[in-house]
Amino acid sequence: MSQGKEMHLGNFLLSRLAELGAKTIQGVPGDYNMGFLDQIEDHPQVRWCGNANELNAAYSADGYARTAFPGHNGLDKTTTTGRGKVGVVVTTFGVGELSALNGIAGCFAERLPVVHIVGTPSTSAQGDHALLHHTLGDGRFDAFEEMSRKISIASVRLGDFKDDATGAVTAIDRALTVGFRQARPIYISLPTDLVNMTVPASSLEKKLSLDEEADDADAGKACLEEVVSRIKRAKDPIILVDACTIRHGCLQEAHQLVNESGLPVFSTPMGKGAIDETHPQFGGIYVGTNTEPAIKELVESSDLIISLGALLSDFNTANFSYRTPRSNTIEFHSTRVMVGHATYQGVSMKNILPRVTSAISGDLSKRLAETKKQLNKYENRLPSREEEGENAGPDGQAISQEWLWPRIGQFLKPSDQIIAETGTSAFGSLAIRLPGSKIPSFHAQILWGSIGWSVGACLGISLASREENLGRVMLFVGDGSLQLTVQEISTMVREGLTPILFVLSNEGYEIERKIHGPQRSYNNVATWDHEKLLESFADPLRDSSVGGDRQNFKESHEHDIKPSETKYYAVKTKKQLEDLLNDEAFNKADKLQLVEIYMRRGDAPKALLGQAKTTQASNRY
């Protein structure tokens, strides 16, 4: 890896990625990246996890980057960044990188630090405009990089530094720092002939500078005075926590503000899990007009909204239906603070929130004693038969959306990691009150909303959870979404991972049916036998007369990781699900388990019905 005072460029890059928390690197081999893959497999700090395809690899890197953990999540002061891992995906030029772009775009939209490394043809082949495979046949070698520029915060073309080792390492360090600080993807192209280019080994002596940059002093002072003045004048201020509080490593600062101010706190769908939902000051999830009436009243009657890390997308706000005037809102963002209609540029929430907390600490809690009595009624209460309506079936034993989600909430433990697929699961799981946890434990792709995302993300979150000794991993996905990315279950098996996969079977895309075309055939999917599907993934080491030397495969397989055992369950009634959730062996989650929950077509969570109604009006078909 290192030759005295020099090391290979590929190994330098890998060491930097390890410095950013990457212990597993994912992707798909191709002839333009395999020299780099050799270095990954030989590197002492990282390991390789091959995926079924590049799209799934990008989804998995997304999930990996979402996973905050003790020591990196801002609640443990062993680091200063307050952020989790960087995700890494490696693809080959052209065909491979384009397959990954949908997943990378999701990382850009949802503010996730993912590094996309593309193995490209040699610098000489590019200079000659050679008519190579995986090209467009017109001599252009920058076309795909230009596509990626639109969804990357920084791009590095290492071929530009073939005679400049210092320039290459500087460009890598600059891009990694920008991507990590701004929580966005970066793109690095690595030509085949530069993988083993030598660079100074001393380049690693200085660690990456990841701490928050200092605020503009004058803007920070003026902003602090105005913010504190507004908060102290307010009669009923509240805190509203959103996704960028997590993405930009401000969880510690947010919790300190909540604890020391005594203010009521709410979260958005994308901010779910940022605040301990068992906290006595937690009031619930605010989604504009799609909010439970009692929670909606508490938020919208406030005379000051202290908004942390807002991402005001349509699904995060019920089609922009907030009833909170800008004049009564203070928005804290990663690089600016907005107070009413004024904006203070160059002031970050990570830097200024501790100063705000210190200035207001103890001044507000006595005034809020009565308000607190209204809080934390957000609970996992099972509905009555009347509340379930016809979805409970004639004998009341059908598993309805209204009943499922609070029951799952009762099943969860503080250390669990929950992944909810775009659509029914993402909206249904908003009704869950998460158990108390020191780290974000809920993951959904609400802004980008790519169906099938959750299966790949489950792999990445499972890998990160194993590395950091977190709890059980649970995926909630519909039978339609599962079909897009189901191959990655085989990777979970091969990797010895043991998530619980809850598959909601209702014959298709229920979210799309609610938005448009409930009886249209395009919202239906083929019916799969999930038990046999799982069996086809479940025994990669079985004896076979085909496929080469199986014994040799067993001996060299994935650095002695033992493939996971699997178990399938079909659940059609409340009693069957109750028995399963109470089963001690099932709760151990020591094997990969797929639970197929049969649900009535047409049944949907209340939050989904509300969002579908506003989306229908917006689409105007």
Side-chain angles (χ1 to χ4, degrees):
M1 182 174 73
S2 175
Q3 299 83 34
K5 295 182 179 181
E6 294 184 326
M7 65 187 308
H8 293 144
L9 179 62
N11 282 313
F12 169 80
L13 174 56
L14 292 172
S15 296
R16 283 302 199 210
L17 295 172
E19 187 179 330
L20 294 176
K23 297 179 182 179
T24 300
I25 293 176
Q26 302 181 76
V28 178
D31 59 337
Y32 296 132
N33 68 23
M34 289 193 287
F36 184 54
L37 300 193
D38 288 343
Q39 292 181 341
I40 294 174
E41 291 209 339
D42 294 339
H43 198 280
Q45 293 175 284
V46 300
R47 60 179 297 273
W48 171 253
C49 172
N51 303 90
N53 60 56
E54 293 88 354
L55 173 61
N56 290 355
Y59 286 158
S60 188
D62 169 315
Y64 192 88
R66 286 173 188 264
T67 310
F69 49 90
H72 290 74
N73 70 342
L75 302 183
D76 182 318
K77 296 184 180 179
T78 57
T79 67
T80 57
T81 65
R83 299 182 179 123
K85 294 171 173 287
V86 63
V88 186
V89 57
V90 179
T91 65
T92 197
F93 175 74
V95 293
E97 61 182 306
L98 294 187
S99 292
L101 286 197
N102 177 43
I104 299 298
C107 297
F108 188 92
E110 304 241 340
R111 278 70 169 176
L112 292 163
V114 168
V115 182
H116 184 190
I117 302 169
V118 179
T120 65
S122 68
T123 55
S124 59
Q126 294 188 49
D128 292 339
H129 302 284
L131 193 64
L132 299 181
H133 63 286
H134 299 340
T135 71
L136 295 171
D138 59 3
R140 286 185 295 156
F141 285 86
D142 62 352
F144 311 125
E145 178 192 354
E146 290 301 314
M147 296 178 192
S148 286
R149 282 185 184 276
K150 302 294 185 181
I151 53 173
S152 304
I153 199 67
S155 294
V156 179
R157 185 185 300 168
L158 288 174
D160 291 344
F161 302 96
K162 64 178 180 178
D163 299 315
D164 182 6
T166 300
V169 299
T170 300
I172 289 172
D173 283 355
R174 184 182 299 118
L176 291 176
T177 301
V178 169
F180 199 75
R181 279 181 175 171
Q182 298 193 28
R184 299 275 198 176
I186 70 168
Y187 176 98
I188 299 176
S189 64
L190 178 57
T192 55
D193 58 325
L194 297 191
V195 172
N196 293 317
M197 170 183 169
T198 56
V199 301
S202 59
S203 302
L204 288 174
E205 292 176 0
K206 185 179 180 180
K207 299 299 183 183
L208 293 172
S209 178
L210 302 175
D211 291 345
E212 199 77 18
E213 293 182 338
D215 286 351
D216 179 283
D218 291 338
K221 181 181 178 181
C223 178
L224 180 65
E225 290 175 356
E226 182 63 16
V227 166
V228 171
S229 174
R230 289 240 184 172
I231 294 175
K232 288 188 174 181
R233 292 200 311 265
K235 294 181 179 180
D236 298 298
I238 67 151
I239 299 170
L240 182 62
V241 182
D242 210 335
C244 282
T245 311
I246 303 171
R247 302 292 190 264
H248 291 283
C250 292
L251 294 176
Q252 180 181 8
E253 292 79 5
H255 278 82
Q256 287 175 339
L257 178 64
V258 170
N259 292 333
E260 297 186 30
S261 71
L263 292 174
V265 60
F266 303 82
S267 69
T268 67
M270 289 185 70
K272 185 174 177 65
I275 296 295
D276 178 359
E277 296 191 359
T278 64
H279 195 290
Q281 291 161 232
F282 184 73
I285 308 295
Y286 178 65
V287 206
T289 57
N290 208 9
T291 309
E292 289 294 324
I295 298 172
K296 186 173 184 290
E297 172 63 21
L298 284 171
V299 173
E300 296 182 0
S301 65
S302 170
D303 61 347
L304 183 66
I305 309 294
I306 303 169
S307 170
L308 308 184
L311 263 175
L312 303 179
S313 71
D314 54 351
F315 276 22
N316 204 32
T317 63
N319 273 51
F320 318 109
S321 62
Y322 276 19
R323 298 294 182 263
T324 53
R326 178 176 290 279
S327 58
N328 291 350
T329 303
I330 301 173
E331 290 187 16
F332 292 88
H333 295 279
S334 60
T335 59
R336 71 190 188 283
V337 177
M338 302 168 68
V339 184
H341 296 283
T343 299
Y344 297 86
Q345 294 288 355
V347 180
S348 74
M349 61 177 166
K350 189 166 183 66
N351 287 336
I352 200 170
L353 279 180
R355 299 169 68 191
V356 171
T357 300
S358 178
I360 67 173
S361 180
D363 288 351
L364 304 172
S365 57
K366 291 182 180 179
R367 285 195 281 149
L368 296 164
E370 289 302 313
T371 303
K372 282 185 179 181
K373 293 178 182 178
Q374 305 175 58
L375 299 175
N376 215 7
K377 295 181 179 179
Y378 180 62
E379 58 184 352
N380 296 311
R381 182 187 67 82
L382 297 180
S384 66
R385 177 75 181 276
E386 290 72 24
E387 289 171 315
E388 289 185 89
E390 65 178 6
N391 293 317
D395 61 356
Q397 277 298 308
I399 300 171
S400 68
Q401 298 283 346
E402 188 80 8
W403 181 87
L404 173 65
W405 299 107
R407 181 62 188 91
I408 291 296
Q410 296 173 357
F411 170 67
L412 298 178
K413 299 176 182 178
S415 57
D416 292 339
Q417 295 287 308
I418 301 100
I419 306 104
E421 171 61 54
T422 294
T424 300
S425 296
F427 285 98
S429 55
L430 295 180
I432 295 174
R433 191 188 80 164
L434 300 173
S437 176
K438 290 185 177 181
I439 62 174
S441 57
F442 177 79
H443 310 279
Q445 198 192 56
I446 292 171
L447 172 54
W448 186 241
S450 182
I451 61 172
W453 159 85
S454 68
V455 182
C458 179
L459 169 62
I461 290 168
S462 296
L463 289 166
S465 295
R466 178 171 65 187
E467 290 170 2
E468 306 304 329
N469 296 313
L470 302 182
R472 302 176 301 182
V473 176
M474 299 179 197
L475 167 66
F476 295 89
V477 60
D479 53 354
S481 295
L482 178 69
Q483 293 190 8
L484 276 76
T485 48
V486 69
Q487 311 97 311
E488 229 51 54
I489 294 177
S490 66
T491 308
M492 299 176 200
V493 172
R494 187 197 68 211
E495 284 287 319
L497 301 169
T498 60
I500 302 174
L501 313 177
F502 290 96
V503 179
L504 280 54
S505 285
N506 53 13
E507 303 176 348
Y509 306 121
E510 199 58 50
I511 182 173
E512 310 293 12
R513 290 177 182 143
K514 295 307 179 190
I515 293 173
H516 188 79
Q519 304 303 325
R520 293 290 184 177
S521 62
Y522 52 66
N523 284 326
N524 301 335
V525 297
T527 301
W528 285 6
D529 185 327
H530 292 100
E531 182 174 16
K532 291 182 178 177
L533 176 74
L534 189 62
E535 289 175 359
S536 72
F537 293 148
D539 189 9
L541 304 183
R542 64 185 180 275
D543 292 330
S544 174
S545 59
V546 298
D549 187 344
R550 305 297 293 181
Q551 184 61 37
N552 180 63
F553 178 75
K554 291 179 184 180
E555 291 174 353
S556 63
H557 177 64
E558 297 299 322
H559 307 291
D560 298 322
I561 288 178
K562 183 180 179 181
S564 56
E565 298 179 10
T566 64
K567 180 74 173 178
Y568 169 85
Y569 304 89
V571 175
K572 298 183 179 181
T573 67
K574 290 187 177 76
K575 184 178 185 308
Q576 289 175 344
L577 185 55
E578 284 280 4
D579 291 344
L580 182 62
L581 297 181
N582 291 324
D583 182 76
E584 184 177 347
F586 177 75
N587 273 267
K588 286 182 180 178
D590 57 358
K591 58 176 67 68
L592 188 148
Q593 300 173 101
L594 191 153
V595 182
E596 185 167 10
I597 302 177
Y598 287 83
M599 309 193 75
R600 190 180 70 85
R601 175 172 168 170
D603 185 15
K606 288 181 179 178
L608 174 53
L609 294 173
Q611 181 61 53
K613 184 176 180 180
T614 60
T615 301
Q616 285 173 0
S618 177
N619 287 344
R620 299 178 183 173
Y621 284 122

